[in-house]
Amino acid sequence: DGRLEMTPVDACRAAIVQLMRMPETAGRQLHLYNPNFISFADLSQALRSFGYPVKTLSAEAFLTAVTGRKEDTGLENLMPHLAGNARPKTRILYDNSMTTHFLTTAGFAWPEVNEQLVHTLIAYCTTTGFIERPFNDNPIVAE
């Protein structure tokens, strides 16, 4: 039941440049991230359509599967971001309403986080060797 934030680096760069050009942002603390989130259900579907055998679990089953491992997976540090409502006391809340106001005023629009963006990200990660291709070895093409 959670949502995930995904900010493409090129969009972040463009937002920074736009904000730097605005005199009214001088001296302000601004938080940059894409306010267009993707649900875990939509992310799972995008990964499945890319060829990854993603299994949907309840938040509690997921946390048990990740934190119950004997080896250190590094995923424990991501729990505040991935736990959804299963661990509300560790949930991180973000607010970039001031940043969004400035960017909207300047005509800047963050990209939608959809299946195409996820596919582009996964294609890049597989071609660089950061993650492995899906087991079904479908050809991967980034648009």
Side-chain angles (χ1 to χ4, degrees):
D1 64 346
R3 299 180 315 145
L4 185 67
E5 181 270 328
M6 296 177 97
T7 303
V9 69
D10 56 338
C12 190
R13 177 210 37 89
I16 290 170
V17 169
Q18 187 66 47
L19 291 167
M20 288 174 57
R21 293 180 175 159
M22 301 175 75
E24 59 270 31
T25 64
R28 294 186 183 263
Q29 180 179 2
L30 301 173
H31 301 280
L32 281 166
Y33 66 87
N34 186 351
N36 302 315
F37 288 49
I38 187 169
S39 71
F40 288 131
D42 289 344
L43 177 62
S44 296
Q45 179 54 42
L47 292 171
R48 279 188 210 97
S49 70
F50 201 82
Y52 289 99
V54 176
K55 180 179 176 183
T56 303
L57 302 173
S58 70
E60 288 300 329
F62 172 75
L63 291 172
T64 300
V66 171
T67 59
R69 295 179 180 265
K70 292 181 182 172
E71 70 276 3
D72 179 20
T73 62
L75 292 175
E76 292 80 8
N77 296 333
L78 295 175
M79 285 303 102
H81 302 281
L82 300 177
N85 292 328
R87 290 200 177 168
K89 65 183 173 194
T90 61
R91 186 117 189 210
I92 296 172
L93 300 175
Y94 300 97
D95 179 21
N96 74 343
S97 55
M98 187 184 319
T99 307
T100 299
H101 168 74
F102 286 127
L103 290 171
T104 301
T105 301
F108 179 87
W110 289 101
E112 290 296 320
V113 181
N114 54 27
E115 188 171 290
Q116 181 181 355
L117 181 64
V118 173
H119 282 203
T120 300
L121 173 66
I122 297 299
Y124 177 77
C125 289
T126 58
T127 56
T128 61
F130 185 69
I131 60 174
E132 293 184 20
R133 292 176 178 262
F135 297 114
N136 63 9
D137 204 29
N138 284 340
I140 298 170
V141 178
E143 295 184 19

